[in-house]
């Protein structure tokens, strides 16, 4: 079945550092890919998405490019802020898998001033 | 409503009791998901409803878990004879699926279930 693998956290960075959170997936066909974020004490919310190969999703300074050749959707940000501290979830949605929305295990990011 | 609403927000129950968790999806959303998030863990899929199709129950961990969605809107997740390992945050999400296109999934705030 479909699966999503994320780098394990926590990831601890200093403010203004460069961020990469790796995400790879296994799926048949052409899934849509998502990054969700869960800030402390809040619910999950969509951060960005890409629906086809080579698409780049971007929001709030975060970017991720859908790479079909490497089955990856790594999340990047050039300069993190303390307010970016949260748990980040990579996910895929696949019509070939009964429209299932499958999540990775989540990666906790801690940004220190 | 404006978003996905879940109730109660917190539930403490005694081991062996039954509990019902409620989810009000965004009006018009055809897809509804239930997930479970244990402390420090990722999201575990439980069940998925899409329109009038038979639900995908492949994620339900045991026959103590069941869910229904009435009239294609409100959903109730029922856990019978609760166990301590059922303690988790139960999340509901809804999205609009048109053919092969799935729009963003919106999540509720979750119900924190504690079994003592």
């Amino acid at each position: 079945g479909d699966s999503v693998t994320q780098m394990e956290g926590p990831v601890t960075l200093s403010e203004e550092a460069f961020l990469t959170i790796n995400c790879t997936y296994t799926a048949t066909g052409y899934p849509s890919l998502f990054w969700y974020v869960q800030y402390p004490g809040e619910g999950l919310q969509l951060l960005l998405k890409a629906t086809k190969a080579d698409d780049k999703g971007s929001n709030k300074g975060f970017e991720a490019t859908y790479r079909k050749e490497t089955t990856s959707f790594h999340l990047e940000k050039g300069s993190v802020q303390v307010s970016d501290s949260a748990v980040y979830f990579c996910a895929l949605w696949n019509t070939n898998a009964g429209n299932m929305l499958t999540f990775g295990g989540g990666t906790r990011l801690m940004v220190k001033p | 409503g404006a978003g996905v609403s879940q109730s109660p927000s917190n539930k403490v129950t005694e081991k062996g009791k039954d509990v019902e968790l409620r989810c009000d999806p965004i009006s018009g959303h055809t897809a509804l998901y239930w997930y479970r998030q244990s402390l420090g863990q990722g999201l575990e899929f439980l069940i998925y409803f899409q329109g009038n199709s038979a639900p995908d129950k492949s994620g339900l961990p045991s026959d103590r878990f069941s869910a229904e969605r009435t009239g294609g809107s409100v959903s109730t997740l029922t856990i019978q004879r609760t166990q301590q390992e059922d303690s988790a945050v139960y999340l509901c999400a809804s999205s609009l699926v048109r053919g092969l296109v799935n729009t963003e999934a919106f999540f509720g705030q979750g119900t924190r279930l504690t079994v003592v």
Side-chain angles (χ1 to χ4, degrees):
Chain A
D2 293 355
S3 66
V4 177
T5 302
Q6 293 181 233
M7 61 188 294
E8 289 194 17
V11 173
T12 304
L13 296 173
S14 298
E15 210 165 19
E16 299 183 3
F18 184 86
L19 168 72
T20 300
I21 300 179
N22 290 339
C23 170
T24 56
Y25 67 90
T26 302
T28 58
Y30 300 92
S32 296
L33 302 175
F34 306 85
W35 277 100
Y36 281 82
V37 59
Q38 188 175 34
Y39 296 104
E42 298 185 15
L44 275 159
Q45 55 187 276
L46 180 68
L47 179 61
L48 54 84
K49 67 179 181 181
T51 57
K52 60 183 187 296
D54 300 325
D55 266 3
K56 178 185 285 188
S58 61
N59 185 25
K60 299 181 179 180
F62 291 88
E63 293 183 340
T65 301
Y66 186 164
R67 302 287 189 198
K68 188 159 180 65
E69 63 276 14
T70 54
T71 61
S72 65
F73 193 54
H74 304 322
L75 183 67
E76 297 182 336
K77 186 174 185 181
S79 176
V80 294
Q81 305 300 312
V82 173
S83 57
D84 294 326
S85 298
V87 181
Y88 293 81
F89 292 91
C90 186
L92 70 82
W93 180 76
N94 192 355
T95 57
N96 286 355
N99 295 322
M100 185 60 58
L101 186 57
T102 303
F103 284 84
T107 302
R108 181 175 299 276
L109 171 65
M110 299 172 58
V111 181
K112 298 184 175 180
Chain B
V4 178
S5 177
Q6 291 187 246
S7 61
S9 54
N10 279 286
K11 175 73 176 179
V12 180
T13 189
E14 292 182 351
K15 177 180 174 181
K17 300 282 189 181
D18 298 352
V19 295
E20 284 190 354
L21 312 180
R22 178 186 169 103
C23 173
D24 279 275
I26 293 173
S27 178
H29 277 192
T30 54
L32 187 149
Y33 303 83
W34 282 99
Y35 292 86
R36 178 167 70 175
Q37 186 177 25
S38 301
L39 185 63
Q41 302 298 311
L43 275 71
E44 176 188 6
F45 165 73
L46 296 178
I47 189 169
Y48 165 60
F49 297 89
Q50 167 55 24
N52 296 320
S53 302
D56 182 339
K57 304 179 181 180
S58 60
L60 294 178
S62 78
D63 59 8
R64 296 187 294 104
F65 288 72
S66 63
E68 62 178 21
R69 188 179 184 191
T70 53
S73 181
V74 172
S75 177
T76 302
L77 176 69
T78 301
I79 309 174
Q80 296 178 310
R81 305 181 302 281
T82 52
Q83 304 294 313
Q84 287 186 330
E85 61 263 29
D86 299 335
S87 297
V89 176
Y90 289 81
L91 294 170
C92 176
S94 73
S95 67
L96 180 60
V97 178
R98 296 193 191 97
L100 298 181
V101 178
N102 190 349
T103 60
E104 173 185 350
F106 291 84
F107 281 81
Q109 293 292 315
T111 294
R112 182 176 298 280
L113 175 67
T114 304
V115 181
V116 298

Short mmCIF file of all heavy atoms in Angstrom, two decimals, chain A residues 6 8-9 11 13 44 74-75 77-78 82 88 99-100 108 110:
data_model
loop_
_atom_site.label_atom_id
_atom_site.label_comp_id
_atom_site.label_asym_id
_atom_site.label_seq_id
_atom_site.Cartn_x
_atom_site.Cartn_y
_atom_site.Cartn_z
N GLN A 6 9.11 10.17 6.58
CA GLN A 6 9.72 11.46 6.91
C GLN A 6 10.94 11.25 7.79
O GLN A 6 11.00 10.27 8.54
CB GLN A 6 8.77 12.34 7.71
CG GLN A 6 7.57 12.81 7.01
CD GLN A 6 6.72 13.68 7.90
OE1 GLN A 6 5.53 13.41 8.03
NE2 GLN A 6 7.28 14.74 8.47
N GLU A 8 13.12 11.60 10.96
CA GLU A 8 12.71 11.66 12.36
C GLU A 8 13.22 12.93 13.00
O GLU A 8 14.29 13.42 12.69
CB GLU A 8 13.26 10.44 13.11
CG GLU A 8 12.56 9.15 12.72
CD GLU A 8 12.86 8.03 13.69
OE1 GLU A 8 13.31 8.32 14.81
OE2 GLU A 8 12.65 6.86 13.33
N GLY A 9 12.45 13.45 13.91
CA GLY A 9 12.88 14.61 14.65
C GLY A 9 13.30 14.24 16.05
O GLY A 9 13.49 13.08 16.35
N VAL A 11 14.04 18.21 14.97
CA VAL A 11 15.04 19.01 14.28
C VAL A 11 15.16 20.32 15.05
O VAL A 11 14.16 21.02 15.24
CB VAL A 11 14.61 19.29 12.82
CG1 VAL A 11 15.58 20.26 12.16
CG2 VAL A 11 14.51 17.98 12.03
N LEU A 13 17.02 23.97 15.25
CA LEU A 13 17.78 24.95 14.49
C LEU A 13 17.80 26.29 15.20
O LEU A 13 16.91 26.58 16.01
CB LEU A 13 17.15 25.15 13.10
CG LEU A 13 17.13 23.96 12.15
CD1 LEU A 13 16.32 24.30 10.90
CD2 LEU A 13 18.54 23.55 11.77
N LEU A 44 -4.29 20.61 12.85
CA LEU A 44 -3.53 20.49 11.60
C LEU A 44 -4.07 21.47 10.57
O LEU A 44 -5.28 21.63 10.42
CB LEU A 44 -3.68 19.08 11.05
CG LEU A 44 -2.74 18.02 11.58
CD1 LEU A 44 -3.32 16.65 11.36
CD2 LEU A 44 -1.39 18.14 10.93
N HIS A 74 10.51 17.10 -0.49
CA HIS A 74 11.23 17.67 0.66
C HIS A 74 10.78 19.10 0.94
O HIS A 74 10.66 19.91 0.01
CB HIS A 74 12.73 17.65 0.40
CG HIS A 74 13.28 16.30 0.09
ND1 HIS A 74 12.84 15.14 0.69
CD2 HIS A 74 14.26 15.93 -0.80
CE1 HIS A 74 13.53 14.12 0.21
NE2 HIS A 74 14.37 14.56 -0.69
N LEU A 75 10.62 19.42 2.20
CA LEU A 75 10.19 20.76 2.62
C LEU A 75 11.43 21.60 2.93
O LEU A 75 12.33 21.14 3.65
CB LEU A 75 9.31 20.68 3.85
CG LEU A 75 8.73 21.98 4.37
CD1 LEU A 75 7.72 22.56 3.38
CD2 LEU A 75 8.07 21.77 5.73
N LYS A 77 12.98 25.78 3.78
CA LYS A 77 12.77 27.19 4.07
C LYS A 77 14.15 27.82 4.25
O LYS A 77 14.99 27.27 4.96
CB LYS A 77 11.91 27.42 5.30
CG LYS A 77 11.58 28.90 5.51
CD LYS A 77 10.59 29.15 6.64
CE LYS A 77 10.22 30.63 6.69
NZ LYS A 77 9.28 30.96 7.80
N GLY A 78 14.33 28.96 3.65
CA GLY A 78 15.66 29.57 3.64
C GLY A 78 16.08 30.15 4.98
O GLY A 78 17.28 30.16 5.30
N VAL A 82 11.43 31.59 15.01
CA VAL A 82 10.95 30.88 16.21
C VAL A 82 9.50 30.46 16.02
O VAL A 82 9.09 29.36 16.45
CB VAL A 82 11.11 31.77 17.46
CG1 VAL A 82 10.46 31.10 18.66
CG2 VAL A 82 12.59 32.03 17.74
N TYR A 88 5.57 19.02 11.53
CA TYR A 88 5.27 19.05 10.10
C TYR A 88 5.00 17.63 9.61
O TYR A 88 5.77 16.70 9.89
CB TYR A 88 6.44 19.68 9.34
CG TYR A 88 6.61 21.14 9.66
CD1 TYR A 88 7.28 21.54 10.81
CD2 TYR A 88 6.07 22.12 8.83
CE1 TYR A 88 7.40 22.89 11.13
CE2 TYR A 88 6.20 23.47 9.13
CZ TYR A 88 6.86 23.85 10.29
OH TYR A 88 6.98 25.18 10.60
N ASN A 99 -8.79 6.89 -2.76
CA ASN A 99 -8.87 8.26 -2.27
C ASN A 99 -8.36 8.41 -0.84
O ASN A 99 -8.82 9.27 -0.09
CB ASN A 99 -10.29 8.81 -2.36
CG ASN A 99 -10.76 8.93 -3.79
OD1 ASN A 99 -9.98 9.29 -4.67
ND2 ASN A 99 -12.00 8.61 -4.04
N MET A 100 -7.42 7.57 -0.48
CA MET A 100 -6.88 7.63 0.87
C MET A 100 -5.93 8.81 1.02
O MET A 100 -5.16 9.12 0.12
CB MET A 100 -6.10 6.34 1.14
CG MET A 100 -5.58 6.23 2.56
SD MET A 100 -6.93 6.28 3.71
CE MET A 100 -7.86 4.87 3.12
N ARG A 108 9.11 17.03 14.26
CA ARG A 108 9.01 18.20 15.14
C ARG A 108 10.19 19.13 14.86
O ARG A 108 11.35 18.70 14.86
CB ARG A 108 9.02 17.79 16.61
CG ARG A 108 8.90 18.96 17.57
CD ARG A 108 8.79 18.48 19.01
NE ARG A 108 7.61 17.64 19.21
CZ ARG A 108 6.40 18.11 19.45
NH1 ARG A 108 6.20 19.43 19.51
NH2 ARG A 108 5.41 17.29 19.64
N MET A 110 12.10 22.57 16.14
CA MET A 110 12.27 23.52 17.24
C MET A 110 13.27 24.57 16.79
O MET A 110 14.41 24.23 16.43
CB MET A 110 12.76 22.80 18.49
CG MET A 110 11.77 21.73 18.98
SD MET A 110 12.44 20.72 20.31
CE MET A 110 12.82 21.94 21.53
#
